């Protein structure tokens, strides 16, 4: 595990300057900004139970999906990815995470879908926005607010939409302007961790093969793997009981079966992987304020191996896996 430098030590970014003259201040902890009022969703959009403030309807949904559910998940997953991919056109210094929320919210509705995070129960209050935006040391579930993105930030945008009765869940970490080399390495390693985790999702493997692949690659680069948040089964429900740990968990030996659909979404840290929660009950940050990155896909297990359901149609000039650096 990497430990942040002391004030007079050399900065981690490779500039050769003292930490206190370099990233210590330019990399101030992220603070909660102002959160704009709830955005309406038209009556014509089919909504999950929580849209009106009700609780999440939970039932024993099978891990292995029917052909009909799979067909619907392909379409919803593809459109979630289309929205995520389009964000690379708007993410730049000066843009607020609120503006990313407005854009994503409107795109979801244009596509006839409900933005699943909106009003999702949890914490002291339901999640008030249509996507999660997690900047720098924010691990996940950051709430879009009026903070303008700064040159050198990294921001994870996590899009989930609900349409045809099913959810599609995907995220990527984007560069804001010029990003230092170590943060870029973090993002690239996280992308590769996600790819390796997905590749390990072969039918017949135990489910902990996914975390094993992710953890060994992250730790070989001296990065940490977040334990407090995991991948999940998904389908007609946003989160089912099936949990996908991103580290090796010896007891999670459930066999991966053809027809299963779940997410792989590792959160990788530059330093300490332990998480702390803001008072808002949603925003999770690293305890040492070290940066953290994440990628997420919803995948279907086929006889030939994993199929990514959250691949965008528009891959102009770059494969999906390069989305993170596409705007760099
Ligand atoms: N999309 C997140 C996931 O990958 C969950 C966000 S829930 C929210 O599971 F309420 F914070 F939006
Ligand atoms: Co997810
Ligand atoms: Co997600």
């Amino acid at each position: 595990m990497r430990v942040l430098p002391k004030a007079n030590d050399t900065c981690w970014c490779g500039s050769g300057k003292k930490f206190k003259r370099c990233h210590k201040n330019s990399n101030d902890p992220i603070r909660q900004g102002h959160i704009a009022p709830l955005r309406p969703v038209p009556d014509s959009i089919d909504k999950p139970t929580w849209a009106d403030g009700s609780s999440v309807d939970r039932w024993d949904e099978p891990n292995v999906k029917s052909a009909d559910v799979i067909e619907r998940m392909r379409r919803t997953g593809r459109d979630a990815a289309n929205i995520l991919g389009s964000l690379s056109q708007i993410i730049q210094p000066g843009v607020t995470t609120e503006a990313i929320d407005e854009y994503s919210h409107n795109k979801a509705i244009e596509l006839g879908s409900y933005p699943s995070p909106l009003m999702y129960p949890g914490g002291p209050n339901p999640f008030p926005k249509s996507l999660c935006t997690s900047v720098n040391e924010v691990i996940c579930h950051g709430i879009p607010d009026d903070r303008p993105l700064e040159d050198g930030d990294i921001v994870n945008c996590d899009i989930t939409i609900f349409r045809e009765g099913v959810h599609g869940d995907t995220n990527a970490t984007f560069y804001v302007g010029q990003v230092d080399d170590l943060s870029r390495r973090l993002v690239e390693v996280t992308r590769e961790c996600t790819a390796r985790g997905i590749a390990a999702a072969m039918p017949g493997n135990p489910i902990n093969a996914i975390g094993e692949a992710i953890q060994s690659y992250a730790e070989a680069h001296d990065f940490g793997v977040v334990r407090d948040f995991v991948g999940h089964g998904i389908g007609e429900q946003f989160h089912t009981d099936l949990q996908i740990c991103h580290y090796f968990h010896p007891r999670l030996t459930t066999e991966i079966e053809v027809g299963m659909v779940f997410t792989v979404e590792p959160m990788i840290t530059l330093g300490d992987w332990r998480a702390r929660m803001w008072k808002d009950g949603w925003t999770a940050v690293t305890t040492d304020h070290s940066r953290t990155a994440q990628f997420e896909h919803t995948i279907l297990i086929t006889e030939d191996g994993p199929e990514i359901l959250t691949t965008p149609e528009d891959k102009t000039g770059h494969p999906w896996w390069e989305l993170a650096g596409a705007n760099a």
Side-chain angles (χ1 to χ4, degrees):
M1 189 176 82
R2 213 176 282 266
V3 175
L4 282 192
K6 302 217 168 43
N8 283 316
D9 290 352
T10 315
C11 190
W12 49 259
C13 74
S15 64
K17 291 191 232 165
K18 285 186 175 177
F19 182 49
K20 68 179 179 190
R21 303 248 171 268
C22 197
H23 272 89
K24 188 167 195 298
N25 299 316
S26 65
N27 198 15
D28 273 348
I30 301 292
R31 277 178 242 280
Q32 180 99 73
H34 177 259
I35 298 171
L38 274 187
R39 292 180 192 287
V41 178
D43 287 344
S44 57
I45 302 279
D46 273 340
K47 302 180 181 65
T49 54
W50 57 85
D52 66 359
S54 311
S55 57
V56 179
D57 197 11
R58 292 196 189 278
W59 69 95
D60 200 10
E61 180 173 345
N63 294 329
V64 172
K65 310 299 181 191
S66 67
D68 164 60
V69 166
I70 289 170
E71 273 321 298
R72 288 185 275 137
M73 291 194 82
R74 276 190 216 286
R75 291 189 286 268
T76 302
R78 179 202 62 207
D79 277 343
N82 286 341
I83 299 173
L84 181 65
S86 72
L87 296 184
S88 63
Q89 293 164 24
I90 64 159
I91 292 176
Q92 54 169 305
V95 170
T96 62
T97 47
E98 169 64 16
I100 302 173
D101 181 73
E102 181 181 19
Y103 181 91
S104 309
H105 180 90
N106 291 339
K107 281 257 171 182
I109 288 168
E110 262 169 47
L111 293 167
S113 56
Y114 180 88
S116 310
L118 188 61
M119 293 297 286
Y120 194 62
N125 295 299
F127 195 82
K129 291 280 150 192
S130 299
L131 86 161
C132 302
T133 53
S134 303
V135 180
N136 298 345
E137 74 269 21
V138 180
I139 295 172
C140 63
H141 304 163
I143 303 174
D145 64 16
D146 62 353
R147 179 187 181 276
L149 292 172
E150 290 176 14
D151 189 48
D153 282 347
I154 55 172
V155 58
N156 178 277
C157 296
D158 191 342
I159 298 280
T160 314
I161 59 171
F162 176 75
R163 200 186 52 216
E164 296 185 64
V166 294
H167 298 270
D169 189 6
T170 183
N171 75 46
T173 302
F174 296 83
Y175 298 134
V176 182
Q178 290 303 314
V179 172
D180 68 83
D181 288 346
L182 187 56
S183 299
R184 281 175 182 270
R185 192 161 0 124
L186 170 70
V187 172
E188 285 308 310
V189 167
T190 305
R191 196 161 63 90
E192 181 64 21
C193 281
T194 313
R196 288 177 182 230
I198 291 171
M202 293 298 291
N205 274 355
I207 210 120
N208 63 9
I210 297 170
E212 191 175 18
I214 292 167
Q215 185 178 16
S216 60
Y217 191 75
E219 292 182 354
H221 289 82
D222 219 6
F223 293 144
V225 180
V226 171
R227 311 289 203 264
D228 288 1
F229 301 91
V230 296
H232 50 94
I234 181 169
E236 297 181 284
Q237 300 175 87
F238 193 168
H239 299 101
T240 72
D241 288 344
L242 180 65
Q243 294 202 347
I244 315 297
C245 284
H246 303 114
Y247 56 95
F248 178 66
H249 193 308
R251 284 195 305 275
L252 295 181
T253 54
T254 308
E255 188 182 313
I256 298 173
E257 287 173 67
V258 172
M260 282 183 168
V261 179
F262 53 80
T263 72
V264 176
E265 49 179 304
M267 287 139 275
I268 306 297
T269 62
L270 218 51
D272 199 324
W273 49 260
R274 285 173 304 173
R276 201 171 53 78
M277 183 75 83
W278 280 6
K279 287 197 196 68
D280 65 12
W282 284 105
T283 311
V285 295
T286 55
T287 49
D288 63 358
H289 299 294
S290 68
R291 287 186 168 197
T292 161
Q294 182 182 23
F295 287 84
E296 173 176 27
H297 274 300
T298 298
I299 66 171
L300 162 71
I301 309 306
T302 75
E303 269 158 38
D304 303 327
E307 175 188 331
I308 295 173
L309 298 183
T310 40
T311 304
E313 284 162 300
D314 179 4
K315 305 181 198 66
T316 33
H318 55 83
W320 156 243
W321 288 113
E322 282 173 22
L323 268 183
N327 61 347

